[in-house]
Amino acid sequence: MMMRINFKTILLVLIVAVISSIFTSWNNCGSSILIRTAEWKTRRDRLANSELGYQEIDCNINGEYLIGCRREGDEVYIPFSFIHKYFEVYGKLATYDGLERFEWLHSYSKIVRPKSKYDPRGVFMTFENYNVEVRERVKCVSGSDGVPMSTQWESQGYYYPTQIAQFGLSHYSKNLTEPEPHRKIIEDADKVQQAWIVPQGSVMSRNYDVQSNSYVLRFGTPETSTSGISITLDHVLSFVLKLDLIIKDNGSVTVVMQHRERKDSYYLHYTTSNIVLNTLNNHIYYGIGVSNSQWRRITRDLVVDLQKGLSINEKGKKKLSRSKLKIIKIILYGSGKIDNMTLSTSEHMEQFYDAARWFVANQNVTSGGWPNPVRRKVASSMEILEPGWYSAMGQGHAISVLARAYYHSGDERYLQAAVRGLKPFKITSSKGGVAAYFMDKFVWYEEYPTTPSSFILNGFIYSLIGLYDLKCIATGRDADEATELFDNGMISLKNMLTLFDTGSGTTYDLRHYTLKSAPNLARWDYHSTHINQLLLLNTIDTDQIFMITAERWIGYMNGKRAAHN
Ligand SMILES: *[C@@H]1O[C@H](CO)[C@@H](O)[C@H](O)[C@H]1NC(C)=O
Ligand SMILES: *[C@@H]1O[C@H](CO)[C@@H](O)[C@H](O)[C@H]1NC(C)=O
Ligand SMILES: *[C@@H]1O[C@H](CO)[C@@H](O)[C@H](O)[C@H]1NC(C)=O
Ligand SMILES: *[C@@H]1O[C@H](CO)[C@@H](O)[C@H](O)[C@H]1NC(C)=O
């Protein structure tokens, strides 16, 4: 999680030591040619201020413009709002122990040091802190697959494998780190039964179902029914709905939520259709796919579904918070069967398996790739990636999901998909794979398989972590294949790592080498991702380079710089 600071609120003027004699000489020769960029106080104001112990003084910035500063004896004080912009440092006022202080931060990111050796069966990086589905660039969690749809590069929404994997890995990691959820069974047609309201003309019964070997609730409402079969609830706090269902044509499960103070009602309709998301006033529609006669389980975070539905028409409006909502009704329309309807505070493993199943169902089994269905221009002088490209980061992340799903479930289909996912690592970018070579020597797995190559650091390391996960969880030939790709990647990384070092931060990629352009400097959250990745690699590889480099890069976050000549 990142700390962001609003600098506009800062009024404080911070001390910066500047030798005033140098300052005076600048002023003497430069003032006539200077462009004034701010409003200045009158001479009379300056005199009045001198009685307060300081004087207003112009500060000439590189001979280009002036800003207002203050002088106190030999010391000159520069406004922090200027320093913030000029040096990209951050600061805020903070009061604790009864004292107000100004806190200066060179970087806004945090480093999380690993507590133990990285475990491919455990938490992925720091992803227990990720909330992928609530991000602005996620359109919604798809009703038919239970995975996020991105709007990052195309506004109508598309499946972005990297994002789906991060969704899966975050839920897997949360399952391992969060307290046990509260779960309440609403209806299981057996031990827990509700007094459903069945209007005239509709039918409802509880029967033994051979296919699922369990008692289930059967229902039917006429096509014209407006009221459906319903239960009234007064349910707060646990908003993750899970149920097993079969619904016939034009059926739906509708959940009515209410704002606890304003009493506005919101209708979440999960309908048998292929629409992604539609909103009409307070009615929000998610298609859960067309019906068939197979039981399926759906898991929905109702608050996320509500927020995404409302944000379609109310961009930028404050989101309804979980604590302000309650569930007041569930309504069944059409005909079908339901079972095991529960409301929980979370269902992380269900959501993790939604992601894992998506990767099994949406892989190109010939190439082993998970295609990215959007055009992507990484840099203006790189060739455009046409829809269908593969990403080493997407492949690696998918493998991390599938390796965990295989470990957790023992289901071979996850392992097979993960092993197929290795194929694009063996094919160069120019031939539809993800491998690039630096100076024809070191293999690099490309987050974006661009021409010319981009050599993005964080995406490469994520792909290595995926390979490591599979090498640890698979056995025999599968493990050997992953090991070879991992080992070759690690050789490249150890040889090339310091190419990303700028002496005060890191670069995101090596476009300054391949495009002969200015370096693409990593902003602090990517810089800290680089460090977190090195600290992870340091727990699985004994080479000193990871720790030594990570410590130096941590220093950059605290304002340290490499020595100059
Ligand atoms: C984690 O998943 C297990 C099932 O694998 C479940 O029993 C447990 O309640 C889950 N815990 C959390 C915190 O999600
Ligand atoms: C409901 O849950 C029970 C217990 O896990 C399971 O045996 C049954 O098959 C489930 N029902 C359906 C329709 O999947
Ligand atoms: C579903 O609804 C549509 C439109 O309301 C209607 O045209 C269609 O006949 C319905 N299908 C069934 C199987 O009832
Ligand atoms: C799957 O990959 C193969 C080999 O790269 C390719 O020829 C084929 O068009 C791909 N299939 C789809 C559906 O994209």
Side-chain angles (χ1 to χ4, degrees):
M1 269 173 309
M2 204 178 300
M3 183 171 43
R4 297 213 184 260
I5 300 154
N6 183 358
F7 305 97
K8 294 214 178 92
T9 61
I10 295 170
L11 299 169
L12 191 97
V13 172
L14 200 90
I15 301 170
V16 168
V18 176
I19 298 160
S20 74
S21 59
I22 296 174
F23 215 79
T24 314
S25 67
W26 282 356
N27 254 1
N28 287 347
C29 57
S31 59
S32 61
I33 54 157
L34 289 167
I35 311 148
R36 297 197 166 224
T37 56
E39 281 180 26
W40 302 113
K41 295 219 161 110
T42 62
R43 181 171 291 268
R44 213 176 47 220
D45 286 339
R46 298 189 189 195
L47 288 176
N49 287 339
S50 70
E51 285 156 25
L52 296 170
Y54 66 84
Q55 268 178 291
E56 301 278 342
I57 185 172
D58 286 352
C59 176
N60 179 343
I61 307 299
N62 301 316
E64 290 180 341
Y65 55 96
L66 296 178
I67 63 163
C69 297
R70 291 176 182 182
R71 178 180 170 181
E72 197 181 309
D74 284 347
E75 198 64 274
V76 173
Y77 297 76
I78 316 269
F80 186 75
S81 54
F82 171 79
I83 296 191
H84 157 61
K85 282 209 207 93
Y86 192 99
F87 293 107
E88 283 189 52
V89 293
Y90 307 89
K92 64 166 196 273
L93 288 166
T95 304
Y96 50 93
D97 306 335
L99 261 181
E100 192 172 44
R101 295 173 178 84
F102 187 73
E103 292 184 336
W104 169 296
L105 285 174
H106 192 77
S107 131
Y108 54 72
S109 279
K110 286 259 178 320
I111 294 303
V112 188
R113 289 188 185 260
K115 289 182 214 65
S116 53
K117 185 178 173 197
Y118 172 69
D119 178 1
R121 297 156 199 86
V123 170
F124 187 86
M125 288 271 294
T126 54
F127 278 33
E128 73 275 20
N129 300 321
Y130 279 30
N131 290 306
V132 173
E133 53 273 43
V134 306
R135 292 176 187 166
E136 204 78 43
R137 57 181 183 266
V138 171
K139 180 190 177 86
C140 64
V141 174
S142 127
S144 49
D145 305 272
V147 298
M149 296 188 84
S150 179
T151 51
Q152 192 166 0
W153 299 311
E154 234 171 67
S155 57
Q156 85 270 22
Y158 60 94
Y159 290 117
Y160 179 32
T162 300
Q163 186 177 72
I164 293 169
Q166 294 196 342
F167 168 83
L169 292 168
S170 75
H171 283 292
Y172 186 92
S173 302
K174 284 174 195 288
N175 174 266
L176 297 173
T177 50
E178 283 187 0
E180 280 299 299
H182 294 284
R183 285 197 179 91
K184 189 174 152 95
I185 300 172
I186 302 297
E187 168 78 51
D188 67 3
D190 191 0
K191 292 193 188 65
V192 185
Q193 304 190 352
Q194 297 284 336
W196 294 83
I197 300 161
V198 186
Q200 199 133 49
S202 295
V203 291
M204 200 208 81
S205 60
R206 293 183 180 85
N207 313 80
Y208 182 75
D209 179 77
V210 183
Q211 205 185 334
S212 63
N213 185 28
S214 141
Y215 278 88
V216 305
L217 187 141
R218 283 173 67 154
F219 66 95
T221 65
E223 181 88 6
T224 50
S225 171
T226 49
S227 54
I229 293 173
S230 61
I231 42 171
T232 305
L233 300 171
D234 187 13
H235 186 94
V236 295
L237 294 173
S238 41
F239 290 125
V240 182
L241 173 71
K242 184 178 88 175
L243 75 156
D244 296 318
L245 81 165
I246 301 179
I247 305 191
K248 297 282 160 52
D249 298 330
N250 289 349
S252 74
V253 176
T254 296
V255 181
V256 188
M257 302 186 72
Q258 192 178 64
H259 192 282
R260 287 161 75 177
E261 286 150 21
R262 295 203 302 265
K263 306 289 178 205
D264 303 342
S265 292
Y266 302 97
Y267 297 81
L268 283 169
H269 303 281
Y270 299 100
T271 70
T272 49
S273 76
N274 282 325
I275 58 160
V276 176
L277 172 59
N278 265 339
T279 301
L280 195 68
N281 303 320
N282 285 354
H283 291 263
I284 296 159
Y285 299 85
Y286 283 90
I288 56 170
V290 288
S291 58
N292 64 33
S293 51
Q294 291 294 312
W295 280 100
R296 54 178 297 205
R297 172 163 296 177
I298 65 165
T299 308
R300 306 301 306 177
D301 187 322
L302 300 170
V303 177
V304 171
D305 284 351
L306 179 60
Q307 288 172 342
K308 296 292 179 187
L310 294 177
S311 72
I312 288 189
N313 297 336
E314 306 173 10
K315 285 246 155 30
K317 207 177 152 197
K318 205 164 152 264
K319 294 211 161 78
L320 289 169
S321 82
R322 241 159 242 272
S323 61
K324 290 277 183 329
L325 291 164
K326 66 177 178 179
I327 300 170
I328 58 169
K329 215 170 184 181
I330 296 177
I331 316 171
L332 308 172
Y333 293 101
S335 65
K337 304 175 194 173
I338 62 161
D339 194 13
N340 299 326
M341 182 185 271
T342 63
L343 285 166
S344 320
T345 44
S346 65
E347 287 292 354
H348 295 310
M349 290 312 271
E350 296 290 341
Q351 295 193 286
F352 165 72
Y353 277 111
D354 280 342
R357 277 190 293 269
W358 187 90
F359 283 107
V360 173
N362 290 277
Q363 184 174 34
N364 180 328
V365 292
T366 313
S367 66
W370 288 279
N372 289 275
V374 288
R375 296 184 96 212
R376 177 92 172 99
K377 197 168 178 63
V378 174
S380 58
S381 35
M382 284 175 182
E383 271 175 39
I384 288 174
L385 297 173
E386 293 298 340
W389 52 276
Y390 298 143
S391 160
M393 177 164 165
Q395 296 294 122
H397 265 0
I399 291 170
S400 291
V401 169
L402 292 165
R404 281 169 175 77
Y406 171 60
Y407 156 74
H408 188 264
S409 67
D411 187 335
E412 293 278 339
R413 282 173 301 178
Y414 297 122
L415 177 65
Q416 287 154 7
V419 172
R420 280 194 296 267
L422 298 175
K423 289 187 194 174
F425 287 86
K426 298 175 210 161
I427 298 170
T428 57
S429 306
S430 56
K431 299 214 163 63
V434 300
Y437 286 86
F438 183 74
M439 310 269 281
D440 296 326
K441 185 171 165 74
F442 295 115
V443 69
W444 194 269
Y445 310 129
E446 292 265 83
E447 177 171 348
Y448 302 110
T450 53
T451 311
S453 308
S454 34
F455 301 108
I456 294 170
L457 181 57
N458 81 91
F460 177 50
I461 301 180
Y462 278 132
S463 76
L464 292 178
I465 296 170
L467 296 172
Y468 180 79
D469 290 345
L470 187 55
K471 120 188 164 82
C472 295
I473 280 168
T475 53
R477 282 235 310 273
D478 297 339
D480 293 345
E481 209 181 317
T483 303
E484 191 184 336
L485 290 165
F486 175 75
D487 289 349
N488 290 339
M490 289 292 272
I491 291 168
S492 303
L493 183 63
K494 290 172 190 176
N495 278 283
M496 292 171 62
L497 187 60
T498 48
L499 294 177
F500 293 85
D501 192 324
T502 68
S504 58
T506 47
T507 65
Y508 179 80
D509 53 30
L510 295 184
R511 69 179 61 178
H512 51 295
Y513 170 76
T514 56
L515 294 177
K516 312 288 174 236
S517 67
N520 184 21
L521 298 181
R523 39 172 220 259
W524 288 121
D525 45 354
Y526 278 111
H527 180 74
S528 62
T529 298
H530 293 158
I531 295 166
N532 287 332
Q533 290 179 325
L534 298 190
L535 293 173
L536 183 153
L537 293 178
N538 183 60
T539 71
I540 60 173
D541 189 292
T542 54
D543 196 313
Q544 285 298 300
I545 189 169
F546 297 121
M547 203 56 193
I548 291 170
T549 308
E551 292 296 356
R552 187 168 65 250
W553 289 1
I554 290 169
Y556 297 161
M557 293 178 71
N558 296 323
K560 295 196 179 66
R561 285 161 178 268
H564 55 67
N565 63 4

